[in-house]
Each structure stands twice: as C-alpha cells, then as structure tokens.
Amino acid sequence: MAKSDSERRTDAVIDVRELVKRFPTAAGDVLAVNGVTMQVRAGEVYGLLGANGAGKTTTLRMMLGLLKPTSGTARIAGFDVAKFPEDVKRNMALVSASAGLYQWLTPRELMHYFADLYDVPAAAAAARVEQLAELFELRKFMDRQCAGMSTGQQQRVNLARSLMHDPPVVLMDEPTRGLDIVGSKRIFDFTSHLKDIGKAVIFCTHRLDEAQRLCNRFGLMFRGRLQLEGTLDELRSVMGRESLTDMFLDLMAREQQIDRDSSSLLAPETSAGKL
Amino acid sequence: MTHHRCWLLKHLPESCRRVKEESVESQKSPIPSAPISAPVSGFSNTLRKISRLARKELRESLRDRRTLATLIVMPLIVYPLLGSVVQKFAVSRIDLNAPAAAVVVDQTLSPGLQSLFADPEAEQNAGGTVVKTSTDDATKSGDSEDPAKNQKSDSSQARLEDLTKQLLEGKLPDGQNSIDGVETAIRLEKYIQPPGTDLEAIVRNGIADIAILETLPQQDSATGLVTQGEIRIIARQGDAFSTKAAAEAVRRISAFRDEYVRAVLDQTRFGRQVMPAISRVSLQSSGPKESPLSAFVPLMLVLMTMTGAVYPAIDLTAGERERGTLEMLIAAPVSRRNLLTGKFIAVFTVAVLTAIINLTAMILTLYGTGFDRVILGEGASIGMFLQVLSLLVVFASFFSAVLLSITSFARSFREAQAWLIPLMLVSLAPGILSLMPGVRLTIGLALLPLVNIVLLGKELFQGIAAPHLFVITLAATLTYTVLALRLAANVFGSDSVLFANNSGGGSLSKRPVELTNEVSRAMGIGYLVVLLPAFIVLAGMRGRLVDPLNLSGQLVLSGLMTLLLFTIFPVLLTTWNRVRATSAYAIRSFSPLALFGAVLLGATLWTLSYEALLLGKGTAAWTRLLSNPKLQELAQRLTQETPLLLRLLTLAVIPAICEELFFRGFLMSALIGRSERWKSALFTSTFLFAAFHVVVDQSLTLERFPATFMLGFVLGWIRLSTGSIFPGIVMHAVSNGLLLSLTELQPLLARLGLDLAVKNETHLPAWFLAISTGLSLIGAMLIHRSSRQAKMA
C-alpha cells in the first residue's frame, strides 16, 4: 500500500485539516464539528478539551474513519482516512471508558481475537499477549471469563486489548470516566508511558485539571470549534489565566456574550451522543 | 507504515517498571521489529476473517446459558410435554378398533354393491339382530345339484342375498377361511352422496373413511367390445383405520362379485368353466387425512427454530451496542459487511443447531407416543428427516437474516425485544393460517415466506410434497434471505444507527421535519419487501372474505386491494416521510399533445399485447404447465355475471390510476434516486410491474409476462419523457378498458372479420395489425414531440 499524495507530509503522525461534520436532525442540521485543524507529533500528548457535546468524540470518530466527514481531511501515519480506512485503523488504538468486554470470553481469548482482527501474526500475537499480561498484571485471571471481574480488572483488560496491535497513534476518549482514584492514576501513568515511548496520543477529557498535568499541548473545543490551541504557557499568555479551568470559563463567557450581541438564538447542541 | 516498534519493555513508566523487573526473562521474548499489524488482503483473507468473527460470536453465544436454555433444555421439555398432553386428548382418534367406518358412495353405485354396506340409520338393530337365514344350507346343496333353469335363477338370487347378509355381518362367505366372529370385522356404514360429488376429497378431509367409485363396463356400439369396468376403493393414505376399512370393503366386493359372476354363469351354457372378471376391483389411496397435528408439528419446529435464533441475534447486535463493545469492533480494520456476515453465520448456526435438536426431540416424541402413524404419511425415514431438516436450514438462514436486519436498528436489548414482538406476531399469523385443514401448498403460497415452509413441512411429513414446490419454496426463501441480509448490512453499517443517541427513535421511526423531493431507495425497497407478501396474503383472503362465486363482490375487493396496496399505503409512507407528492408521484402538467398520443397508444397497443400474449403461450410450451386453465373460464364468467361498468371501474380505472401512481410514480422515483439512473429505473420498474401481473390468485400465468412487460415499458417511457404520471394513467385506462369491453364489441369486430379469443390462438389479420401499429407509432411520436417541446420551453 503506497502512500499516494504525500506531498503535504509533515512530521505529524496525526494531521487533521478543516474537518467538518454536519448531522441532519429533526431540528435541522447541526454542525457537530466545525473546521477542526490539528497536528500531533510522535511522543506528544495532545489534550482535546471541551464540555460534553463540544464535538470531541465526533472528531475522534472521523479520525478513525467511523464517521465520514462532511468535508476536510484526516491523515494518520500518512494514510488518508477517506482513501485507506483500514490502514488508518491498523495504525490506531481507541481507548474508551464506555468500552465493554465480551463477558463470556477470557482476556486471553479476547486479546487473541482482536489480534486476529488486526491481522497480527499468530506468533507475534502470542508474544504480545504475554507482554501485555505482564504489563497490566493480568496473569492471575487471563483464563477466567470477563463476567466476574472487578471494574479495575476490566479496565486493564480493555487497555491491553486495545493495544494488541501496537499502533503509533492512541486515541483516548474520556478514559477516566467512571474510574476511581487508582483507576485514573493507572490511566495517567499509562498515558505518560505512551508519551515516553514515542506514541502520538490524543487525550480527550472534560476534566481539565487532569489534562493540565499530562498533556504537552492543548486544544480547547467549544461548540464544534477549536477555539484555542497551544502549550500551557502559550495559552496562559493569550488568556492571561493560570489554570485551564479559568481559561475555559472565560472562553464560554465570551462566546455567550457574542451570542447575546448578535441576539441570535443559541445554536443547537450537537446531537452526537455516545455509542 | 514506518516507525513504530514494540516499545513495551523498553520504556516503562514508574508504576510499571516494578513488574518489568520481576520478570526479566520476558525481556528476551522475541520483539518484532516490523509493525505487527500487517495489512493482508485477498479473498481468502476475507473468508478467514469472517470465519474468525463467526467463531468468536459462536463461542460467545454458546457459552451463554440463555442460548443453551433455548437450544437444549426447551426442546427436551416442550416436546415430551406436548406429546403427552396431545396423547391424552387425541388418543381416541387413532383407535384402530373403532366400531364403524364411514363409506361414502355415489347414488349411482350399483344397488348390489350398495347393499353390501350397512345403513347408518339402521345402526341400532343391525349389529346383533340380523337374523340368520337358514338358506345357508340350501344354497350349499344348491351348488352341487343341477336344477332347472328357473330354479337356478331363484337359488342364485337367494345365494347372492344370503351372501350379502353374511357380508353385512362381517362374516366371510362360504368356502373361504373365516375370521371368527363378528367382533373383528369392521362395520361399514354407507353415506350416499349425489352424483358427481368429489368423494376422494371427502375421504381426504377425514369426513369419511373410505369411498367407493364405480365405472360400469360399457359396450362400444361400433365394435361391440365390452370395456372393463372398475370399482375403485379409496382409502386415506397413512391412516390405519381407513386402510383396514378399505381392505374389508375390497373383500366384500370381491366376494360379492365372484358370487354374482357365478350366478350369472350358472344361467349360461358355459357353466362355470370360464369366469371372466367383469369389473376389476382396485384399491386406491387418497391424500392422507389432515390431522391438525400434521400442520402443527412443522409450525412448532419453525417457531422453535425462531426462538433459537432470537437471543443470539439480539445479543450480537443490540446487546453488543449496549455493552459498549461495538465501537471497539468497528474501530478494527474489518469491514462492517464482514462483521455482519460473521454475526449472521453465528446466529444461523445456533438456529440450525436448534432446528436439529428440536427435530430429533420431536421425532423421538412422536415415536414414543405413537403419533408418527397419524402425522407421518409413510412413517419416518432418513430421507424425510433430511428433507425437513434442509427446509429448516433454509428457514433458519431466512429468519436469522430478518432478525439481524431488525435488531441492528435497536440500541439496547430491551428495545430489540420490543421490535421483535411485532415480528413474532406477524409470523404467527401466516403460520396459523397454514394450520387450516385443506390448505395445500400452491405456487403462490410457495412464494409466501413462512407459510411456504410450514405447508411444505406438513406435506413432507405426509409424504405428499410436490418436488417443484419444494424447489420453489427453497429458492424463494433463499431469495428473501439475500434481501434481508442486504437490508441488515445497510442498517448495520449506517452511521445514523451506529451513533444514534438515546434521545429519539432510530432513523426508521424518525419523521423528517422538512419537505423533500426524494423518495429514498431504502423507502422503495422497504415497501417492496412488505408489498409482495401483503399482495399474496390479501389475494388469498379475498376468497374468504366474500364468497368466491360472488364475482361482483370479488371485483370490488380486488379494486379495494389495488387501491390499498398501490396507492393508500405508499401515499401514507411518503406523507409520513414528508416527500412532496408532486415529485414522488410525478404529478405534473403535460401538453395536450401527449394526452392525445397516450389515447392513441392505449387504443392501439392492445393489439400488440394480444399478439404478445399468443407469443407467450405459443413459444413457451412449458408455461402451459404452470398456467391456470381456470383463468379463461373465470374471464368468461366475469363477462357473463358482472356489469360492464363495475368491470371497467375495478379492472381498468382503479388499476390504471393506482398502478401508475405506484409503479411509474413511487417506485420509479425511488429507483431513479439522486444518481438519476433512468435506464435501470425503467427496466426494474417494468420488470416488477410485469412480475406482479404474473402472480394471479395463487397461480403463475407466465404467458402474461411479455405482454405486460411491453405495456409497462411503454408506460414507463411515457412517464420519463413527459415527466408526468397523467398521460400514462390515460393510456393504461384506455388499454385496459378496451380489452374489457372487447366482448361487448365482439359483434362489431366479427363484422370486421376479427376473431379475438386467446384460447383459439388465432392471430389478428395483418392489415389490422399494420394499421394499429402505425397508429401506435404516431402516438409515440406525439409523446416524443411533446416532451421535446416541454424541454425547449
């Protein structure tokens, strides 16, 4: 598989330009994502921040090729999502808090199953299962059905499963939602580990304090638009605020002021919910 | 695919390093340097992946206790339970020592034969009180003597009467080994029917046990030869009691005949040297009696197969979405079609396993309770088992596909169950319809999903299934499977379904707010899928709602049916979806020129369709096998028994309006779609138009295909070139109307030397054809011109 038009190549593993997603709904079209452009390099954790319904998940789904963008392009590891969707998927992992496990399968079966789906050769898969079992401390219950596991155990199995094919890009969609302190800490440690080993990571969350500690760069999303982008220092100098939370509140207030000025009705919230 | 290597053990965060140090050995495990997820392509890989998907789904399903419950536990409990219940209530039905068997005979049956069977009214005193005559000895001695001619006659007569009495008592005539006593013999009671009654049907329907038909010997006036007569005794196939009664009847009639021959010969100069059999006595079997059980068992099997598939189907689609595993799955490099195929194979396999277990449990139960003799015509055999199994396998594939296409819409288990309840009810109705006694599989019914399977199952059990209906049923069901699977793939893969939020219903139930011009393809195909079974069911119901002999009533019903299926329902559908009626049904203005052209075409084109009808009849001789000769008779009766105005309204005006609105309006709009596929829309809608006209009242009239195809093609062309539905409606109405009033015009036509009866297969005269074809061409040109003008304007 050749990377065809690679003239626009950057060193960014994730290269998203002008992504737009418009959902037709009963109340008329909704712009869930409105012209999002971002680049993420290897070894970088990009914090995609925003309130629920800001368009974060929709952006991730378009990067993965699960949703077709209304316009714009997304390139992952050099592959255009529109042209090589399978290659894009092969180069990406999706870690999501809402992901479940197959209750009647064991972690080992589950991991082998996903290895097969990602065309990982059997020998490599077997080695990989051992490594991940080691890393996430799954040894004790590798051959027990997932049904009886604790939330923490399920979370670890889910992480191991999503990384079976060892991709260069990891998308984390609200990975700490519903987890306790230990679980959240495991996610943070794991994410900074991914950063260390040179993965390009997008970390989506609405918990800004979490993100502030973890990410190299930030994108603040609001109503489908990437309102602000940069490192923490850059953002501080632009917004004149110390914490991301304050910046975000300022941003929201500003948006609402614009709305009032133009005396227009509030744009409908995106209808893109969870799967 | 560039630069990632296995990173795990090289750089671990603090929290993980602990683990690493504990297991130094694992560091040495081979670390692939190339990307470990390598793209593999090709057909074999697709198959490999689908099989991988299916294996996982299957493993998951089979580990689920709920699946196992429906798969194994249900049949093990249900069948023995049902068997014992039915046995309790129905045990008397299969009593082989029932006191009397009912014999139906024709009034015209020879009195001598009639006297061999008891009169049911005389039942009370017949059994034991038949007075034994003392002529026994007399006749015996009479045999050996050589009396005078008139004495002979008397004694012969007496002998016959005596024999009759003996036979009535169930005793065997003299000179044969007798079965002792009256008790073992069956009492045969005769029920006399008017001449011409279908006695075989009476036996088949279980009203009587045997029938006796007689064909008298006849002397040919020219040659003087006497043809052999025949006495046929009809027993019900697979019914032990009926068979026993028939054997008794054969015995009595043979004994009587022999005695009669003896008596006749005594009076001739040949004496007893020659004993020609005047009539042959033969035993024939009717169709087996339709026990309500024989239809119930296949229905039961079908329902159990359905329940086997329901749980995995929900679990693998809606359940997967509910548990949040679906997103992981579609994030993997597997096409959604392959995902669905894998799920289909898994659901199908579980359904087939359910079918096998149920069939086995059912047959074992039948053996255990002795019902196999009632239900199975020729007893259970491996062949029958395999035939029924193949039927269930095909059904399992069909139902699995239907299930998946429905459960793919649902976002949760509960929602999927709610969706499936109407489906189960809808499938029960035709299933119960097929329980009615006397319903046999026809070509029309063989096209009806579910009904065809249950009816064919019933007939397979009875051993009377027709091979061509077996093939048609399987082919039709497989076709529906493919359709349902395609629908499921569309639904499963669509974004709106995958990522629909929980606030509203699925894309199906959501009503658009804004008006649109487009009839979506999904809407068109979806309605077609519903239309075909609805068409067949309603056509079948027509005969039950109104007496089939009341032709006017039938016409009104058929008009209503056309109105409902081809106009009211589609209009409701498009209105609900806020499609502009003007664009969906091509309700647009047109030039008077086009109207004139349409009238010309309508008035002349029937000559070509008449010829096409003859062509259809003539060239495809095999179609005659499938065509229904009763249709011709029906047409004749229609003209005699119904007013012309009613015929014109229900067979010309209503079909012209409704069929045009549907085929040239709704369907064509849906087929043209956004991508403006004019040609394929024209051909597909024409094909469907012709196909619907071939299915008439549960029979296929394939010879109509060329004629209706031509008509549909011209109508479609008019719709496309004028952009309006109206000229087509006019042409359709004129064409149908003219054909209907042909009989009224017969005298006029006869004066022109035209003989127009398709059954006579006479072609129209060349001059007439030439004129009408010329006029047709002028009509076509007018329409073509008007469309050019419209474009220029």
Side-chain angles (χ1 to χ4, degrees):
Chain A
M1 297 245 174
K3 293 173 214 169
S4 55
D5 44 1
S6 54
E7 73 282 349
R8 215 179 58 179
R9 268 185 68 183
T10 59
D11 58 342
V13 187
I14 302 172
D15 184 359
V16 171
R17 312 232 168 189
E18 290 296 326
L19 270 189
V20 174
K21 182 66 190 181
R22 196 186 292 272
F23 285 114
T25 68
D29 279 10
V30 166
L31 263 178
V33 175
N34 188 3
V36 166
T37 298
M38 63 164 82
Q39 278 85 36
V40 184
R41 281 183 296 278
E44 195 175 35
V45 177
Y46 185 101
L48 190 58
L49 314 176
N52 289 332
K56 305 185 301 280
T57 303
T58 308
T59 308
L60 293 193
R61 281 178 181 159
M62 284 192 283
M63 288 183 197
L64 252 169
L66 303 188
L67 278 179
K68 215 177 151 203
T70 310
S71 65
T73 56
R75 240 165 224 286
I76 309 298
F79 292 103
D80 188 333
V81 171
K83 287 178 195 151
F84 305 103
E86 301 228 333
D87 292 281
V88 166
K89 285 178 179 173
R90 238 181 277 284
N91 280 289
M92 265 201 195
L94 176 65
V95 178
S96 166
S98 59
L101 299 176
Y102 293 113
Q103 299 299 304
W104 307 107
L105 298 187
T106 68
R108 188 184 303 281
E109 287 165 345
L110 192 67
M111 288 159 83
H112 276 291
Y113 174 57
F114 274 92
D116 285 344
L117 293 190
Y118 280 94
D119 300 309
V120 179
R128 186 86 181 138
V129 166
E130 293 309 312
Q131 289 161 357
L132 289 169
E134 202 68 58
L135 176 64
F136 292 108
E137 298 174 59
L138 308 175
R139 286 245 180 270
K140 276 182 224 151
F141 47 86
M142 273 306 269
D143 296 303
R144 280 204 332 237
Q145 290 182 4
C146 294
M149 291 181 187
S150 71
T151 315
Q153 288 171 328
Q154 296 212 357
Q155 179 210 7
R156 272 139 68 198
V157 172
N158 195 23
L159 282 174
R161 177 210 62 76
S162 63
L163 294 165
M164 268 308 288
H165 57 299
D166 192 15
V169 176
V170 180
L171 304 181
M172 310 193 81
D173 187 12
E174 304 274 5
T176 58
R177 192 177 54 196
L179 291 182
D180 63 0
I181 303 162
V182 182
S184 300
K185 177 156 190 334
R186 191 182 293 114
I187 296 284
F188 290 137
D189 291 346
F190 176 66
T191 309
S192 60
H193 156 64
L194 290 175
K195 176 165 71 178
D196 293 344
I197 57 173
K199 301 285 165 183
V201 181
I202 293 184
F203 197 92
C204 260
T205 184
H206 63 279
R207 291 183 54 184
L208 306 177
D209 52 323
E210 280 183 356
Q212 196 167 335
R213 286 184 286 146
L214 190 69
C215 306
N216 308 70
R217 283 198 303 136
F218 303 88
L220 266 62
M221 244 184 131
F222 194 69
R223 288 190 190 168
R225 275 196 159 279
L226 210 52
Q227 304 281 1
L228 208 60
E229 199 186 37
T231 61
L232 192 57
D233 290 338
E234 286 166 357
L235 294 186
R236 278 173 179 156
S237 68
V238 172
M239 295 296 288
R241 288 285 201 168
E242 216 20 56
S243 78
L244 280 172
T245 313
D246 290 336
M247 293 178 207
F248 206 83
L249 290 174
D250 281 359
L251 215 61
M252 261 168 75
R254 200 194 293 167
E255 278 289 314
Q256 275 155 6
Q257 188 58 46
I258 294 168
D259 281 347
R260 267 195 297 276
D261 291 349
S262 58
S263 70
S264 64
L265 289 167
L266 272 176
E269 280 286 282
T270 172
S271 70
K274 295 286 172 276
L275 197 70
Chain B
M1 304 287 261
T2 46
H3 51 265
H4 59 285
R5 263 187 244 111
C6 187
W7 39 268
L8 266 169
L9 300 172
K10 291 179 190 165
H11 319 274
L12 286 174
E14 288 301 323
S15 61
C16 303
R17 207 155 282 161
R18 220 176 350 100
V19 185
K20 174 198 154 200
E21 275 150 17
E22 282 163 16
S23 57
V24 188
E25 289 83 2
S26 65
Q27 268 185 319
K28 288 165 190 157
S29 62
I31 297 166
S33 57
I36 62 173
S37 166
V40 189
S41 54
F43 182 64
S44 66
N45 185 54
T46 307
L47 283 186
R48 190 182 58 77
K49 225 167 205 183
I50 289 177
S51 97
R52 183 68 185 87
L53 287 161
R55 263 186 296 135
K56 175 249 151 195
E57 308 286 18
L58 206 55
R59 176 187 282 175
E60 207 191 350
S61 288
L62 291 180
R63 277 185 192 171
D64 195 331
R65 272 181 232 105
R66 282 169 287 190
T67 309
L68 289 181
T70 47
L71 190 63
I72 296 168
V73 183
M74 282 269 278
L76 288 184
I77 297 173
V78 164
Y79 289 105
L81 206 67
L82 269 178
S84 61
V85 167
V86 175
Q87 195 176 33
K88 200 154 198 169
F89 286 106
V91 76
S92 58
R93 295 186 66 96
I94 52 164
D95 186 2
L96 293 182
N97 297 315
V103 181
V104 275
V105 298
D106 203 298
Q107 254 174 16
T108 56
L109 190 72
S110 309
L113 289 176
Q114 285 195 30
S115 66
L116 290 173
F117 306 104
D119 201 352
E121 267 91 71
E123 187 187 359
Q124 300 313 320
N125 53 4
T129 54
V130 170
V131 186
K132 270 197 173 186
T133 48
S134 53
T135 42
D136 250 14
D137 302 30
T139 42
K140 266 179 199 162
S141 56
D143 268 354
S144 51
E145 282 170 42
D146 195 12
K149 228 173 188 182
N150 57 346
Q151 279 177 311
K152 240 192 242 170
S153 169
D154 283 347
S155 74
S156 299
Q157 190 70 32
R159 270 210 314 273
L160 261 178
E161 279 170 11
D162 182 48
L163 176 74
T164 306
K165 275 177 189 150
Q166 282 190 44
L167 288 171
L168 262 175
E169 279 178 56
K171 280 186 178 166
L172 289 165
D174 184 55
Q176 294 178 33
N177 293 326
S178 67
I179 307 166
D180 2 280
V182 184
E183 296 82 46
T184 51
I186 299 180
R187 181 180 154 82
L188 300 177
E189 293 177 351
K190 63 171 177 278
Y191 293 87
I192 300 165
Q193 304 295 317
T197 314
D198 186 356
L199 301 181
E200 199 252 339
I202 294 178
V203 171
R204 189 178 59 232
N205 292 333
I207 297 164
D209 296 293
I210 57 172
I212 295 171
L213 284 95
E214 186 182 27
T215 316
L216 288 171
Q218 277 179 337
Q219 189 169 24
D220 192 295
S221 53
T223 58
L225 289 171
V226 178
T227 57
Q228 193 188 27
E230 189 181 16
I231 298 163
R232 281 184 298 149
I233 293 114
I234 300 175
R236 198 159 41 238
Q237 187 186 335
D239 184 323
F241 185 64
S242 170
T243 312
K244 197 176 166 192
E248 170 70 15
V250 170
R251 191 179 66 81
R252 287 188 193 181
I253 292 169
S254 304
F256 179 83
R257 183 197 57 184
D258 292 350
E259 191 54 46
Y260 184 79
V261 170
R262 225 174 270 144
V264 170
L265 289 175
D266 278 348
Q267 297 180 30
T268 66
R269 56 191 169 88
F270 294 114
R272 290 201 190 149
Q273 275 82 1
V274 196
M275 286 208 357
I278 292 169
S279 282
R280 191 157 49 93
V281 180
S282 67
L283 197 62
Q284 183 194 334
S285 61
S286 79
K289 176 180 172 182
E290 288 197 8
S291 156
L293 272 178
S294 61
F296 180 71
V297 165
L299 181 63
M300 191 71 205
L301 285 172
V302 161
L303 289 179
M304 291 297 268
T305 309
M306 277 161 70
T307 39
V310 164
Y311 182 74
I314 300 180
D315 195 50
L316 296 183
T317 51
E320 182 133 28
R321 187 171 304 161
E322 186 171 290
R323 287 189 302 270
T325 49
L326 189 59
E327 190 169 19
M328 300 296 120
L329 207 52
I330 57 174
V334 186
S335 74
R336 287 175 198 176
R337 182 182 293 224
N338 287 357
L339 278 182
L340 186 81
T341 311
K343 288 179 185 298
F344 170 72
I345 292 171
V347 175
F348 169 66
T349 311
V350 174
V352 168
L353 284 176
T354 319
I356 292 174
I357 293 173
N358 275 283
L359 190 57
T360 314
M362 195 268 307
I363 286 185
L364 289 179
T365 308
L366 285 182
Y367 261 116
T369 53
F371 276 115
D372 53 327
R373 283 179 300 178
V374 179
I375 294 164
L376 310 177
E378 289 164 353
S381 67
I382 298 290
M384 188 208 72
F385 181 86
L386 290 179
Q387 277 178 326
V388 174
L389 187 62
S390 70
L391 200 64
L392 286 177
V393 167
V394 171
F395 175 75
S397 78
F398 164 69
F399 198 72
S400 304
V402 170
L403 275 180
L404 283 176
S405 64
I406 290 175
T407 56
S408 293
F409 276 112
R411 282 173 301 273
S412 66
F413 224 97
R414 203 179 273 188
E415 195 187 325
Q417 282 170 332
W419 286 81
L420 286 185
I421 289 168
L423 174 76
M424 296 300 247
L425 289 178
V426 165
S427 6
L428 260 176
I432 287 169
L433 196 85
S434 57
L435 283 181
M436 288 189 205
V439 179
R440 290 284 307 263
L441 191 61
T442 60
I443 290 177
L445 288 178
L447 296 174
L448 204 60
L450 198 81
V451 172
N452 56 6
I453 299 280
V454 176
L455 283 179
L456 186 58
K458 178 169 91 176
E459 294 184 3
L460 280 177
F461 275 133
Q462 295 169 342
I464 53 168
H468 72 284
L469 293 178
F470 185 80
V471 173
I472 291 177
T473 299
L474 292 198
T477 309
L478 280 177
T479 311
Y480 298 139
T481 305
V482 173
L483 282 177
L485 212 51
R486 287 194 65 158
L487 184 69
N490 275 339
V491 173
F492 189 76
S494 73
D495 294 345
S496 58
V497 171
L498 276 175
F499 301 114
N501 58 353
N502 295 321
S503 60
S507 61
L508 261 192
S509 56
K510 202 176 276 174
R511 189 177 181 197
V513 175
E514 281 172 38
L515 279 173
T516 168
N517 284 328
E518 190 199 6
V519 182
S520 68
R521 281 175 88 84
M523 205 193 298
I525 293 169
Y527 187 70
L528 266 184
V529 168
V530 180
L531 177 65
L532 183 70
F535 185 78
I536 295 168
V537 168
L538 282 182
M541 273 170 59
R542 223 164 51 196
R544 300 197 189 271
L545 285 175
V546 169
D547 180 16
L549 292 175
N550 177 1
L551 287 180
S552 298
Q554 290 292 316
L555 279 183
V556 171
L557 273 189
S558 109
L560 283 179
M561 190 179 118
T562 310
L563 196 65
L564 203 65
L565 289 178
F566 290 132
T567 302
I568 294 179
F569 286 162
V571 166
L572 284 179
L573 189 66
T574 49
T575 311
W576 172 258
N577 285 295
R578 295 195 201 275
V579 184
R580 279 193 188 86
T582 46
S583 62
Y585 301 100
I587 299 174
R588 292 190 198 94
S589 62
F590 53 94
S591 79
L593 215 58
L595 192 67
F596 187 59
V599 172
L600 260 184
L601 272 173
T604 56
L605 211 61
W606 63 268
T607 54
L608 283 181
S609 55
Y610 174 86
E611 290 293 316
L613 195 60
L614 285 186
L615 193 77
K617 273 183 90 85
T619 52
W622 59 275
T623 60
R624 289 186 204 188
L625 293 173
L626 296 173
S627 76
N628 191 346
K630 283 180 185 162
L631 279 178
Q632 302 241 308
E633 190 193 313
L634 182 72
Q636 209 147 30
R637 284 185 44 215
L638 269 177
T639 56
Q640 287 159 4
E641 294 173 25
T642 61
L644 177 66
L645 212 61
L646 182 68
R647 262 179 288 147
L648 282 179
L649 182 71
T650 54
L651 295 176
V653 178
I654 291 181
I657 296 172
C658 298
E659 288 175 11
E660 287 313 299
L661 284 175
F662 180 75
F663 287 101
R664 256 65 66 181
F666 176 82
L667 195 60
M668 233 173 173
S669 302
L671 289 169
I672 291 168
R674 274 187 199 152
S675 39
E676 313 232 320
R677 278 171 280 210
W678 306 100
K679 272 186 201 160
S680 80
L682 178 59
F683 277 100
T684 314
S685 68
T686 305
F687 177 81
L688 288 168
F689 175 71
F692 266 97
H693 281 83
V694 161
V695 185
V696 179
D697 285 333
Q698 318 211 334
S699 62
L700 296 181
T701 48
L702 284 180
E703 72 268 15
R704 287 179 72 180
F705 195 85
T708 41
F709 190 89
M710 186 193 72
L711 191 70
F713 192 84
V714 174
L715 287 167
W717 171 76
I718 294 178
R719 145 81 171 84
L720 286 180
S721 43
T722 62
S724 171
I725 198 83
F726 294 112
I729 291 181
V730 170
M731 177 194 150
H732 199 148
V734 169
S735 180
N736 276 16
L738 257 182
L739 279 173
L740 280 173
S741 34
L742 271 185
T743 42
E744 316 289 319
L745 303 173
Q746 202 86 50
L748 183 77
L749 292 167
R751 223 177 297 160
L752 289 169
L754 297 174
D755 178 17
L756 291 168
V758 175
K759 65 176 176 201
N760 296 350
E761 306 205 5
T762 44
H763 289 269
L764 293 166
W767 62 268
F768 190 80
L769 264 180
I771 292 176
S772 71
T773 311
L775 288 174
S776 294
L777 283 175
I778 293 173
M781 261 166 56
L782 286 176
I783 286 171
H784 185 65
R785 269 186 74 115
S786 77
S787 75
R788 268 223 320 253
Q789 281 177 351
K791 268 173 206 157
M792 280 187 279

